[in-house]
Amino acid sequence: MNKISLYSEGIYDVTIVPNTFIDLYMPSANGAYVKVYLYLLRHIGSSNTEITISSIADHLEDTEKDIIRALNYWEKQNLLKIERNAQDEITAIYLADLSGLNKTGHSTATIDDALEELDSVTVSEPDEIASNIHTETEPAAIPTYSQDKIDELKSNDKFQYVTHIVELYLGRPMKPVDLQLIIYLYDELKFSPELIIYLYEYCVSKNKMNPSYIEAVALEWAKEGIDTEEKAREATLLYNEHINNVMKAFGLNRTPGQIERKYITKWVEVYSFSDDIITEACNRTILRTQKPDFKYADKILETWFKKGAKTLEDIAILDEEFAKGGRAKTVPNVTPIAKPSANKFNQFPQRTYSAKDYAELERKLINKGL
């Protein structure tokens, strides 16, 4: 792993965290990204300014991929500049001097040539309610709007109404980062006032009020073509139904965690399985493991997906093939699907017997002299 040289426009004998960073950048940033930036500041203030991606990852107990993702995010925010060699390895990191920024994040002085404004790179962050479990990308950086633009929109009655309602949802006065995000939603994503209000209503109902999270949900909606309040309500209602069905099948009376939500999203959006099939996998998981195990259920559903199963009938065929030792050898050895009986215990899978089973049972009874 190559060593990386770290440079700064300021020389610190202590770890100094600029107020501009705390006021403007930290509130909307992922916590893991903040740790990486603070770690860079710490090393600027030490005698050893040579670090590696691996050393940062080890110290912060994170993956190298996560460290690179954080550096790319801060590069996009113009808080640092990254130099790379021909092998695309990071060789140097330059931290920008934030003392030259005003309260809106605009530069009030010329930054050194080594810290010129970078070419924009489009990145995105998946929303935890609509992301593939294998997808990990960075959040997009929203533009910084000028005071003239802010004043222009503040004179718009519809925009004023939106900011007023958002303040009520957040339960606090509007911060600059909140205002910048709302302008982005209104001016860039072309969200209607009704859609912006529902976006905040939805996120606050999930106790998610971080601007980064709200932005991620908005970007996912835009990506999926959700451009009206009605479409957003339908999408969130449908997803909530999927969640409720899974939690009910697992016998859990709580809100699913982030990883659990990603599993559910994978089953619904990547595998395109119906609730019936997902519930069947959950039921088999409980019978096999005696506990709600999302990872085990995922293995069952992954196997069905790879086998091309799309209905409960397809799964029944896979069960039959497995019982005969046929092509479905990789199907988990769990209880097969049974037709429901008329009694009140029909929630338990009913075992099916073949002619061979009855013949074997008869032989045992005869041998016992019964």
Side-chain angles (χ1 to χ4, degrees), residues 201-237:
E201 175 188 333
Y202 173 74
C203 293
V204 171
S205 71
K206 294 168 60 61
N207 199 30
K208 300 287 188 179
M209 293 179 278
N210 187 297
S212 293
Y213 181 88
I214 297 172
E215 178 192 354
V217 176
L219 290 173
E220 188 63 32
W221 285 4
K223 178 181 175 183
E224 294 180 358
I226 297 175
D227 53 7
T228 66
E229 179 188 357
E230 292 73 19
K231 290 181 181 179
R233 288 187 180 276
E234 289 176 4
T236 53
L237 177 61

Side-chain angles (χ1 to χ4, degrees), residues 10 57 101 139 163 178 196 202 213 273-274 281 295 335 351 363:
L101 299 179
T163 56
D178 300 316
I196 296 174
Y202 173 74
Y213 181 88
F273 279 144
S274 65
K295 187 175 181 179
T335 308
R351 182 175 177 182
R363 185 186 64 78

Side-chain angles (χ1 to χ4, degrees), residues 6 8 24 41 57 105 131 152 154 218 229 231 279 302 308 312:
L6 191 60
S8 173
L24 294 181
L41 290 179
S131 65
E152 175 190 339
K154 279 186 175 180
E229 179 188 357
K231 290 181 181 179
T279 298
E302 182 181 15
L312 291 176

Side-chain angles (χ1 to χ4, degrees), residues 15-16 19 29 31 39 45 56 87 90-91 95 127 177 180-181 211 233 267 280 291 305 309 319 333 336 355 367:
T15 302
I16 299 176
N19 289 336
Y39 187 76
I56 300 175
Q87 289 74 41
I90 298 176
T91 58
L95 298 186
D127 171 30
V177 66
Q180 292 284 336
L181 176 56
R233 288 187 180 276
W267 303 339
E280 178 61 27
K291 63 180 181 180
F305 177 73
D319 289 336
N333 184 17
N367 289 341

Side-chain angles (χ1 to χ4, degrees), residues 19 42 68 121 135 141 213 361:
N19 289 336
R42 166 68 181 86
I68 293 173
V121 179
T135 303
Y213 181 88
L361 179 60

Side-chain angles (χ1 to χ4, degrees), residues 8-14 16 44-45:
S8 173
E9 291 183 338
I11 304 298
Y12 309 128
D13 55 1
V14 294
I16 299 176
I44 283 293

Side-chain angles (χ1 to χ4, degrees), residues 61-304:
E61 296 184 350
D62 218 333
T63 67
E64 293 183 14
K65 183 178 179 181
D66 290 329
I67 301 304
I68 293 173
R69 182 181 299 112
L71 294 175
N72 289 338
Y73 173 79
W74 291 123
E75 184 179 32
K76 177 64 179 177
Q77 296 291 329
N78 287 339
L79 264 65
L80 53 84
K81 179 181 182 294
I82 298 174
E83 284 187 358
R84 296 175 173 85
N85 59 21
Q87 289 74 41
D88 202 34
E89 296 175 325
I90 298 176
T91 58
I93 300 172
Y94 298 83
L95 298 186
D97 183 359
L98 301 187
S99 63
L101 299 179
N102 60 27
K103 291 184 179 181
T104 65
H106 289 290
S107 175
T108 57
T110 302
I111 299 178
D112 187 78
D113 291 341
L115 292 167
E116 288 180 351
E117 187 169 345
L118 308 174
D119 294 332
S120 60
V121 179
T122 303
V123 291
S124 62
E125 178 182 77
D127 171 30
E128 70 172 351
I129 65 167
S131 65
N132 185 326
I133 192 172
H134 300 300
T135 303
E136 292 184 346
T137 48
E138 301 83 26
I142 65 174
T144 301
Y145 296 94
S146 66
Q147 189 60 47
D148 290 341
K149 183 66 175 180
I150 295 173
D151 293 339
E152 175 190 339
L153 287 172
K154 279 186 175 180
S155 64
N156 183 308
D157 291 340
K158 290 184 178 180
F159 187 83
Q160 280 187 340
Y161 176 73
V162 170
T163 56
H164 173 68
I165 298 300
V166 168
E167 279 191 336
L168 294 178
Y169 277 130
L170 296 177
R172 58 170 173 75
M174 187 80 62
K175 295 180 180 179
V177 66
D178 300 316
L179 187 59
Q180 292 284 336
L181 176 56
I182 294 175
I183 295 175
Y184 176 71
L185 300 175
Y186 188 84
D187 194 63
E188 186 73 21
L189 296 187
K190 306 301 180 184
F191 276 19
S192 66
E194 294 78 15
L195 183 56
I196 296 174
I197 290 172
Y198 179 69
L199 170 66
Y200 278 85
E201 175 188 333
Y202 173 74
C203 293
V204 171
S205 71
K206 294 168 60 61
N207 199 30
K208 300 287 188 179
M209 293 179 278
N210 187 297
S212 293
Y213 181 88
I214 297 172
E215 178 192 354
V217 176
L219 290 173
E220 188 63 32
W221 285 4
K223 178 181 175 183
E224 294 180 358
I226 297 175
D227 53 7
T228 66
E229 179 188 357
E230 292 73 19
K231 290 181 181 179
R233 288 187 180 276
E234 289 176 4
T236 53
L237 177 61
L238 179 60
Y239 187 77
N240 286 334
E241 287 178 355
H242 293 310
I243 289 178
N244 292 337
N245 286 331
V246 170
M247 302 307 280
K248 182 178 179 181
F250 273 149
L252 299 173
N253 185 24
R254 61 171 174 79
T255 301
Q258 181 176 356
I259 298 300
E260 294 169 341
R261 284 179 176 270
K262 286 187 175 183
Y263 272 121
I264 297 171
T265 302
K266 178 184 178 182
W267 303 339
V268 173
E269 296 189 1
V270 179
Y271 292 164
S272 299
F273 279 144
S274 65
D275 286 336
D276 288 341
I277 292 180
I278 296 174
T279 298
E280 178 61 27
C282 294
N283 290 340
R284 294 186 180 208
T285 298
I286 293 293
L287 289 171
R288 188 68 175 178
T289 67
Q290 305 300 312
K291 63 180 181 180
D293 189 331
F294 280 79
K295 187 175 181 179
Y296 189 89
D298 183 63
K299 290 297 183 183
I300 296 175
L301 290 165
E302 182 181 15
T303 299
W304 291 345

